[in-house]
Amino acid sequence: MKTHKVAIVTGGSGGIGRCTAMALAKAGCRVYEFSRHEKGGTEGVLHISADMTDEASVQAAVTEVERREGRVDILVCNAGFGISGAAEYTSPEDAHAQLELNLYGADRAARAVIPIMRAQGGGRIVCMSSIAGILPIPFQLWYSVSKAAINAYVMALQNEVRPFGISVCAVMPGDIASGFTANRKKTIREDAYGGRVARSVARMEHDEETGMSPEAAGAFIAKTALRKSSRPLIALGLPYKAAAAAAKLLPRRFSNLIIGKMYAK
């Protein structure tokens, strides 16, 4: 009898996470989405309440999936949010909160599933990064830092767990028309910046609102998660594949100047 793959998607109650969970379910997976909501789940997706900033909550949620299913084949670390504003006016609390969910939340989930995957002889971990992880965006400094850290995390973890049959990768989307834009925490304090922060955020939000649909992004992420292995860092969408290639080929000074002209004028 064929055994369906068991998948966990963190931050799976809306946006890209919800669409990824639905795409995995459509592909025949038994899918659990983790989010802080008391109730959730849709169209074949099961919900478990979990706070990705709380170690015990994450461990309990993963343990519950293992209790029900006996295995975990796929983990998609999608939970995250963005903050924007000039670095000098971003509070330490906001900066820490950005890393706490985007980076440490992914780490909590990965650490919880690795022993299960190792015992069963393999698994797949996909972390959501961003093109900002390789092309950092001004006035989204801490978001860019969190995604650059995810890229480093994934590349190091891949070598640690490869002998156990576990593969790891990061997907780097660009602009997606999802709830991410509305949920961004903004600190629009200008002082000496002369309107540059507001102009930058407006440009970002326009690009996001006219970007790829979350359904298309979710389908791509699900397809990536269902692969046995892949490159460690994968750009999502042709424009961002080109941007990732340019980031490798162009001198850093030049690529950073281009980003500055786009988002820091």
Side-chain angles (χ1 to χ4, degrees), residues 155-240:
M155 295 186 73
L157 185 62
Q158 182 185 58
N159 283 327
E160 293 185 10
V161 299
R162 183 183 285 115
F164 309 133
I166 303 171
S167 64
V168 189
C169 75
V171 174
M172 302 185 296
D175 298 312
I176 308 291
S178 70
F180 181 86
T181 303
N183 292 331
R184 177 183 286 115
K185 183 171 182 178
K186 294 180 279 191
T187 303
I188 309 297
R189 179 177 171 183
E190 296 286 357
D191 292 4
Y193 289 87
R196 290 168 61 220
V197 178
R199 287 194 296 272
S200 179
V201 172
R203 169 72 187 266
M204 295 170 202
E205 293 187 344
H206 173 268
D207 290 347
E208 289 166 355
E209 290 166 352
T210 57
M212 179 185 289
S213 73
E215 290 80 10
F220 180 92
I221 296 160
K223 184 177 179 180
T224 300
L226 288 165
R227 292 177 186 163
K228 188 173 181 179
S229 63
S230 67
R231 300 188 311 278
L233 304 180
I234 306 170
L236 198 172
L238 287 177
Y240 303 104

Side-chain angles (χ1 to χ4, degrees), residues 131 134-135 172 174 231 234-250 255 258-259:
I131 202 69
I134 57 173
L135 291 168
M172 302 185 296
R231 300 188 311 278
I234 306 170
L236 198 172
L238 287 177
Y240 303 104
K241 289 181 185 295
K248 290 181 181 178
L249 298 172
L250 294 175
S255 63
I258 293 173
I259 294 296

Side-chain angles (χ1 to χ4, degrees), residues 106-149:
D107 173 62
R108 290 184 186 96
R111 284 189 290 104
V113 304
I114 287 171
I116 300 169
M117 291 181 173
R118 182 174 62 242
Q120 70 197 21
R124 178 78 158 146
I125 298 173
V126 178
C127 294
M128 291 306 299
S129 179
S130 167
I131 202 69
I134 57 173
L135 291 168
I137 301 174
F139 306 120
Q140 282 199 84
L141 184 151
W142 284 107
Y143 177 75
S144 300
V145 166
S146 74
K147 297 307 184 179

